[in-house]
Every structure is written in structure tokens, then in C-alpha cells.
């Protein structure tokens, strides 16, 4: 059984251990073969229905968020700019995986070009890192809004928000950049078959014949760097937020103020809990069937992009009201 990804959505960055092989080596194979969901090949068409539904909801929901924020001037603020970044990141992650998955399920198109595989791997993991960074930026916005409300507009100016966004993008892009370059240099042995629906980082590492220790240490460092820093900054932000909330004089004021953090907290839970569950299952579920591991890996890549726009659409009054205006015919 494969080892575990680390506990956040930036998940599949931790390496597999190398397996010994005396088989013929070859460098840069022209294609990899994606098996889909091993053991459930006969049910691929049925399995595609919920995944396709999740993808459609994610596409419609995130595009709706982008349109509403763009067309509603009252939403042109830091929180909604970060929300738009999260929507774009979610669109990239889901679109990087779902189309190929559906082509496997519907057309049995299992081959993926070697370069396309590395590109898919890069986009998935770099934007997962960006997702985590965006959640930290949103926590910062909530901290400033609650702990320094009078200075919110002067601290988080459009220029500062732009710099934060650029830093998030550069961090995700640069930290994952070595991955495809290292994988391209390795020889591969035994097989080019990947027992998954997408080019999972650990699955590609497992196929390599080269010494992967440097890559393994780097992967481990990136995983814990991203996890540790992001969770630390989010925790510090909410400790300060809770201190400010409990210092308010009335219960109604405390509930109302804490309610402004509700959407962000739900998004954090939907982003991190599925990945934590998958991590624990991979580490301790040695007797769990491979197809269940693959289903969980795909589900937690697709569930957050689907749930994020729903959470903000339901819990954010400005977005909900603007959506109703767009859906309601004029004059009614």
C-alpha cells in the first residue's frame, strides 16, 4: 500500500519509498497509463456520474462567484478579492483532473503523454499550495477586519492585496517547480502504469528507478513547510480574533462579529478535514482496498472546489442578494 500524503490539501507531496527492481530502465517514457479506479473498471460509467455532477457544480459555482464580485461594486474589497483568487485556484485544480478522469471513464482513454502527466502534476500541486496560501490571506483579512476595524481599509489596500496575491502565486509556483524537472531526469522501470485517474506525485515517484532521496527530502520539507506555516498563521489569526470577540460587551455583538468568520471557517474545514482523513486512511488503512484510496483521493480534490462557492453563496448576504438579483427577472 502506498504511503500517506501529508494532512492538508497540498496533500500528495510526500514521497513513496523506492522499490527494488532488476528490470530494464528507460528514461522519459512517451506515455503513462492511468488505470482509473483499479477493481471498479466495470463501474466507471456509474462512478463518473457523481464526479461529473461535482465538477459541473464547481464550474458553475466558482464562475458565478467571479461574475458577482466583478459586477457588484460593493464587493470590491479584500475579502472578495481573495475569494476570487480561491475560485480561480479551485477551477484550475478541478479542471486539471476531471476532464482526463471522464475520458478514462467514458472512452477508456487511459494514455497520457509523459510531458502532459508532469504538467498535470505541477498544476494540481502548485494550485493546492496556492489554495492553502489564500486561506491564510483570508484569515489575515478577518484578523484586520475584527481586531483593527477602523484601519482595515488603510492596511489592506488594493496594492497590499495585490502583493499578497502575488506572493501566494509565486510561493505555490516556485515550491513545486522542481517536481517536474526532477521527474523528467529520472529513468523509469518495471511499468508506466499509474493506478489512479490522474498523475499523482507519489505514484510517479514510485515508478522511478533513480535515487530519489534528494527529492524525498525536498518533498518532505515542502510539505511540512506549507503545512506548518499556514496552520500556524491561521491559528494565530483566530486566537487574536477570539480574544477580540470575547472582549466585546454583549452576547449579540460577539455572535454577530464571529458570524463574519463563519464562511472562512467552513472553507478551512472543507479544505483540510478531507485531506486529513485521507492522510490517516493511507497511513493506518493498510487493509483498505486500493479503489477506496483512489476514490478518496479524487473526492477530496473535487469536493472543496464544489463546496467553497456554495458556502460563500449561502452564508454571505451580499453574494446571496446579488445572486437573487441576477436570477430574478426585472419587474418581479
Amino acid at each position: 500500500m502506498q504511503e500517506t500524503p501529508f494532512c492538508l490539501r497540498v496533500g500528495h507531496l510526500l514521497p513513496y519509498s523506492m522499490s527494488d527492481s532488476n528490470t530494464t530502465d528507460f528514461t522519459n517514457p512517451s506515455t503513462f497509463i492511468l488505470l482509473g479506479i483499479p477493481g471498479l473498471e466495470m463501474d466507471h460509467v456509474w462512478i463518473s456520474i457523481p464526479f461529473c455532477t461535482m465538477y459541473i457544480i464547481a464550474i458553475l459555482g466558482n464562475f458565478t462567484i467571479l461574475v458577482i464580485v466583478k459586477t457588484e461594486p460593493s464587493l470590491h474589497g479584500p475579502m472578495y478579492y481573495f475569494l476570487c483568487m480561491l475560485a480561480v485556484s479551485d477551477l484550475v485544480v478541478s479542471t486539471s483532473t476531471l476532464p482526463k478522469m471522464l475520458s478514462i471513464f467514458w472512452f477508456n482513454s487511459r494514455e497520457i503523454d509523459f510531458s502532459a502527466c508532469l504538467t498535470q502534476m505541477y498544476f494540481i500541486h502548485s494550485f493546492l499550495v496556492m489554495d492553502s496560501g489564500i486561506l491564510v490571506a483570508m484569515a489575515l483579512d478577518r484578523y484586520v477586519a475584527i481586531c483593527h476595524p477602523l484601519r482595515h481599509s488603510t492596511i489592506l489596500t488594493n496594492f497590499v492585496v495585490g502583493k499578497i496575491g502575488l506572493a501566494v502565486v509565486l510561493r505555490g509556483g516556485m515550491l513545486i517547480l522542481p517536481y517536474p524537472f526532477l521527474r523528467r531526469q529520472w529513468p523509469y522501470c518495471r511499468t508506466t502504469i499509474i493506478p489512479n485517474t490522474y498523475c499523482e506525485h507519489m505514484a510517479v515517484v514510485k515508478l522511478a528507478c533513480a535515487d530519489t532521496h534528494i527529492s524525498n527530502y525536498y518533498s518532505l520539507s515542502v510539505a511540512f513547510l506549507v503545512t506548518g506555516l499556514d496552520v500556524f498563521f491561521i491559528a494565530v489569526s483566530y486566537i487574536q480574533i477570539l480574544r477580540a470577540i470575547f472582549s466585546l460587551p454583549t452576547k449579540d455583538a460577539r455572535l454577530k462579529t464571529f458570524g463574519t468568520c463563519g464562511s472562512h471557517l467552513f472553507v478551512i474545514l472543507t479544505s483540510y478535514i478531507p485531506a486529513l482523513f485521507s492522510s490517516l486512511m493511507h497511513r493506518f488503512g493498510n487493509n483498505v482496498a486500493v479503489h477506496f484510496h483512489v476514490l478518496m483521493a479524487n473526492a477530496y480534490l473535487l469536493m472543496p472546489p464544489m463546496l467553497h462557492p456554495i458556502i460563500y453563496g449561502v452564508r454571505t448576504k451580499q453574494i446571496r442578494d446579488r445572486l437573487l438579483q441576477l436570477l430574478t427577472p426585472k419587474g418581479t
Side-chain angles (χ1 to χ4, degrees):
M1 184 62 64
Q2 59 191 16
E3 293 184 6
T4 180
F6 82 100
C7 65
L8 299 183
R9 279 189 71 216
V10 289
H12 298 141
L13 297 178
L14 294 183
Y16 281 106
S17 60
M18 280 296 298
S19 58
D20 295 330
S21 174
N22 295 321
T23 56
T24 303
D25 297 351
F26 55 94
T27 304
N28 289 7
S30 59
T31 59
F32 282 123
I33 305 297
L34 299 171
L35 288 184
I37 303 178
L40 297 178
E41 288 85 357
M42 299 301 294
D43 300 317
H44 274 176
V45 173
W46 295 107
I47 295 171
S48 71
I49 295 175
F51 282 113
C52 185
T53 302
M54 293 166 65
Y55 182 57
I56 292 172
I57 295 173
I59 292 293
L60 293 177
N62 285 292
F63 269 115
T64 300
I65 292 291
L66 294 173
V67 170
I68 288 176
V69 173
K70 178 175 174 31
T71 57
E72 179 55 52
S74 65
L75 299 180
H76 293 176
M79 182 175 75
Y80 299 104
Y81 292 149
F82 292 137
L83 179 58
C84 285
M85 291 181 60
L86 185 65
V88 171
S89 181
D90 285 342
L91 285 170
V92 173
V93 170
S94 57
T95 303
S96 296
T97 55
L98 216 293
K100 182 58 184 178
M101 182 195 302
L102 295 180
S103 73
I104 296 171
F105 290 165
W106 292 346
F107 309 113
N108 203 32
S109 176
R110 300 173 186 270
E111 290 190 354
I112 183 170
D113 182 77
F114 180 69
S115 296
C117 180
L118 297 183
T119 302
Q120 183 192 54
M121 182 179 66
Y122 173 77
F123 272 95
I124 290 172
H125 295 300
S126 62
F127 276 88
L128 290 180
V129 174
M130 292 179 204
D131 257 14
S132 186
I134 294 167
L135 294 179
V136 176
M138 297 173 86
L140 173 64
D141 171 74
R142 292 298 82 207
Y143 163 74
V144 176
I146 292 174
C147 297
H148 305 283
L150 300 180
R151 300 171 55 199
H152 182 261
S153 59
T154 58
I155 294 175
L156 290 179
T157 62
N158 288 344
F159 180 70
V160 172
V161 170
K163 289 200 297 185
I164 293 174
L166 180 62
V168 168
V169 171
L170 289 177
R171 185 187 74 153
M174 297 303 293
L175 284 178
I176 306 301
L177 192 60
Y179 280 67
F181 288 103
L182 288 173
R183 276 86 191 132
R184 184 174 290 278
Q185 304 303 317
W186 290 343
Y188 293 86
C189 58
R190 183 179 300 175
T191 181
T192 56
I193 295 175
I194 298 176
N196 210 319
T197 60
Y198 64 96
C199 289
E200 182 188 17
H201 166 257
M202 293 187 297
V204 176
V205 172
K206 188 178 182 181
L207 301 180
C209 301
D211 182 0
T212 62
H213 283 92
I214 294 177
S215 175
N216 292 350
Y217 292 137
Y218 180 76
S219 302
L220 197 63
S221 300
V222 169
F224 284 104
L225 176 67
V226 172
T227 305
L229 288 180
D230 290 358
V231 171
F232 173 76
F233 284 126
I234 290 174
V236 169
S237 296
Y238 271 94
I239 289 173
Q240 297 301 316
I241 287 171
L242 290 174
R243 290 179 58 186
I245 288 175
F246 285 121
S247 67
L248 295 174
T250 65
K251 181 179 179 180
D252 289 342
R254 290 193 290 269
L255 291 176
K256 183 177 180 180
T257 303
F258 187 74
T260 63
C261 301
S263 297
H264 183 238
L265 287 173
F266 276 115
V267 165
I268 291 174
L269 294 177
T270 58
S271 297
Y272 293 163
I273 286 181
L276 177 60
F277 176 77
S278 180
S279 174
L280 293 174
M281 185 185 68
H282 277 272
R283 180 170 293 278
F284 301 109
N286 292 329
N287 296 323
V288 177
V290 174
H291 66 261
F292 189 73
H293 285 271
V294 176
L295 284 170
M296 286 301 303
N298 284 273
Y300 90 76
L301 280 182
L302 292 172
M303 283 183 63
M306 177 190 71
L307 293 175
H308 291 167
I310 295 175
I311 291 170
Y312 272 97
V314 170
R315 293 191 54 85
T316 307
K317 184 177 185 301
Q318 297 94 321
I319 294 177
R320 188 170 65 246
D321 291 346
R322 182 57 179 167
L323 180 60
L324 291 175
Q325 290 177 11
L326 293 175
L327 296 178
T328 304
K330 293 183 178 180
T332 61

